Amino acid sequence: MPTETVYGLAADAANARAVAAVYEAKGRPSFNPLIAHVTDVAMARRIARFDARAEALAARFWPGPLTLVLPVLDPEAVCDLARAGLDTVAIRAPGHPLPHALIQALGRPIVAPSANRSGRPSPTTFADAVEETGKAAAAALDGGPCAIGLESTVVALLDQPRLLRPGAVTRAEIEAVIGPLSEAEADAKRSPGRLARHYAPNAPVRLDVETPRPGEAWLSFGPAGQGPWNLSPSGDLHEAATNLFAYLRAADRSQPTAIAVAPIPHGGLGEAINDRLRRAAGFVG
Ligand code: TXA
Ligand code: MG
């Protein structure tokens, strides 16, 4: 199913057999839990324990690209396998009419990891989603290209608020609502998705490249950028985010010696873009 962030491989969150098939299709390790997608905060409150911070963030950013990790309230609604056995659950209300209608029709949450095979870039178009895991799906919904192009921001509200994954809702926007965010703990149990070399294409990725070498594909940025994969000729970070995974895939298909990426500013949405690029290059583990 499409969402405003990336395409997801969807399953009934309460159905352990369906959820097992999602892990299987992605080649995803079973210790890495899935996000439960809901229609709205009322459905979310039946699954997870909302405190004042969660209420404030949901009121401000849902439906939209923000995932909250909260204590689980109804462990049947999002089955054990989907939560990787944790007593917490990740929830978001997607801001796209198709998943909204799908969850409403089912009447309960739908889990959906990004529809890529594990360790590959997330699909942001219908064709890329079908190429990645389409064979495993009983049905596929075409919602056109994803408006945002990067996975949701993930914030854990278990003790102090922690930023587990930067995304389109920026650190500053979240801090404006609930105050300072701590960093994700090194503890793998609390942020199980932070695997090394995530979001990676086949070709090696080189970052902060002003001038590519012969044989390299160049993901450029800004007015000085050249070639078919200028992430944003005008230097706009939203446009760069929308194009990032699609251009990484397209550049990869040209079988370059490496994919060289121009420097991208770090502020605002740049934090999430640079996070995905560092992971594609294998610098974060
Ligand atoms: O934008 C998105 O979030 C997309 C679309 C399809 O909604 N979904 C997505 O799902 O990116 P996935 O599975 O690729 O990433 C979910 C992230 C992983 O890093 C996972 O470890 C983390 O959320 N996560 C899920 N449940 C968690 C939990 N209980 N505690 C900590 N992290 C959790
Ligand atoms: Mg993913």
Side-chain angles (χ1 to χ4, degrees), residues 26 28 113-114 116 122 151 165 198-199:
K26 282 182 61 78
R28 177 163 172 137
S114 51
N116 53 288
S122 296
E151 307 84 350
R165 179 172 75 183
H198 210 170
Y199 311 108

Side-chain angles (χ1 to χ4, degrees), residues 206 209 211-217 257 260:
R206 291 206 305 128
V209 176
T211 315
R213 298 170 187 152
E216 287 185 339
T257 54

Side-chain angles (χ1 to χ4, degrees), residues 67-113:
T67 296
L68 301 176
V69 174
L70 301 168
V72 68
L73 202 60
D74 178 356
E76 310 280 301
V78 182
C79 68
D80 245 39
L81 184 60
R83 288 179 287 102
L86 299 174
D87 54 7
T88 60
V89 61
I91 308 189
R92 83 178 188 98
H96 189 297
L98 278 179
H100 183 88
L102 197 62
I103 302 158
Q104 196 148 48
L106 183 67
R108 54 179 186 269
I110 287 180
V111 284

Side-chain angles (χ1 to χ4, degrees), residues 157-274:
L157 296 173
L158 301 172
D159 36 41
Q160 309 147 5
R162 289 177 201 280
L163 183 63
L164 300 189
R165 179 172 75 183
V169 175
T170 64
R171 177 190 294 273
E173 287 175 314
I174 295 164
E175 291 185 334
V177 178
I178 57 166
L181 284 166
S182 306
E183 291 313 305
E185 287 166 305
D187 180 1
K189 230 189 121 206
R190 286 294 182 202
S191 45
R194 311 311 273 160
L195 301 171
R197 202 150 199 275
H198 210 170
Y199 311 108
N202 293 315
V205 175
R206 291 206 305 128
L207 302 182
D208 296 321
V209 176
E210 305 274 7
T211 315
R213 298 170 187 152
E216 287 185 339
W218 195 31
L219 263 56
S220 60
F221 179 80
Q226 283 169 22
W229 301 303
N230 189 330
L231 291 168
S232 173
S234 67
D236 176 64
L237 288 172
H238 283 94
E239 187 183 20
T242 305
N243 290 328
L244 180 66
F245 286 134
Y247 285 10
L248 268 178
R249 284 169 182 281
D252 205 25
R253 276 187 212 110
S254 74
Q255 301 194 310
T257 54
I259 300 172
V261 187
I264 310 288
H266 286 260
L269 190 52
E271 182 176 5
I273 295 172
N274 281 289

Side-chain angles (χ1 to χ4, degrees), residues 43-68:
M43 188 184 276
R45 283 193 204 107
R46 296 200 283 272
I47 304 161
R49 193 168 325 122
F50 270 63
D51 62 11
R53 302 169 303 182
E55 292 289 351
L57 288 175
R60 170 77 178 78
F61 297 110
W62 283 5
L66 175 67
T67 296
L68 301 176

